[in-house]
Amino acid sequence: MQINIQHKGDIAVVNLAGKFDGGNDCIKFQKNISRLVANGDLKFIISFSLVRWISSCGLGKLVSIHEEVSRAGGRVVLCNLEKRPLSVLYTTKLYDVFEVKKNLREALALFETVAS
């Protein structure tokens, strides 16, 4: 899995590509988010536009990240979920846990609405 982090103002946009499954990639992903939280980042958009698969281990890391960011007073929004990853979120009932938006534009607008 490839991880690319860009900032749009005070929002960290995390672009993922490849399979979101267990192993070193998920550990690297979680460490990147933890480092950003430690540096004061509290607004995250995670884009899955290039992710076609999410394993149970990947879901576990995603839940851990959500909990870590929430405990710090932050927020995580998921966007650009393809059919299969979206189906996994529905099946596991995690769709109700995460804020999910159709695309990056909608996810960014969600943060703008909160700031207003």
Side-chain angles (χ1 to χ4, degrees), residues 49-115:
S49 62
L50 298 174
V51 174
R52 305 292 179 252
W53 173 261
I54 299 177
S55 73
S56 59
C57 188
L59 282 176
K61 287 295 181 196
L62 198 57
V63 170
S64 294
I65 287 165
H66 181 271
E67 289 174 356
E68 178 181 358
V69 172
S70 295
R71 273 194 311 269
R75 187 176 190 183
V76 176
V77 177
L78 310 181
C79 71
N80 294 322
L81 284 139
E82 295 290 328
K83 186 177 181 177
R84 182 178 261 169
L86 189 59
S87 173
V88 170
L89 284 180
Y90 276 118
T91 301
T92 59
K93 308 266 190 248
L94 288 174
Y95 188 86
D96 297 330
V97 172
F98 292 100
E99 292 182 84
V100 180
K101 292 296 175 187
K102 188 174 187 175
N103 54 46
L104 180 60
R105 181 181 47 78
E106 288 182 10
L108 287 168
L110 182 66
F111 282 105
E112 291 170 6
T113 303
V114 171

Side-chain angles (χ1 to χ4, degrees), residues 41-55:
D41 284 296
L42 295 174
K43 298 176 184 176
F44 293 90
I45 296 173
I46 303 175
S47 174
F48 286 84
S49 62
L50 298 174
V51 174
R52 305 292 179 252
W53 173 261
I54 299 177
S55 73

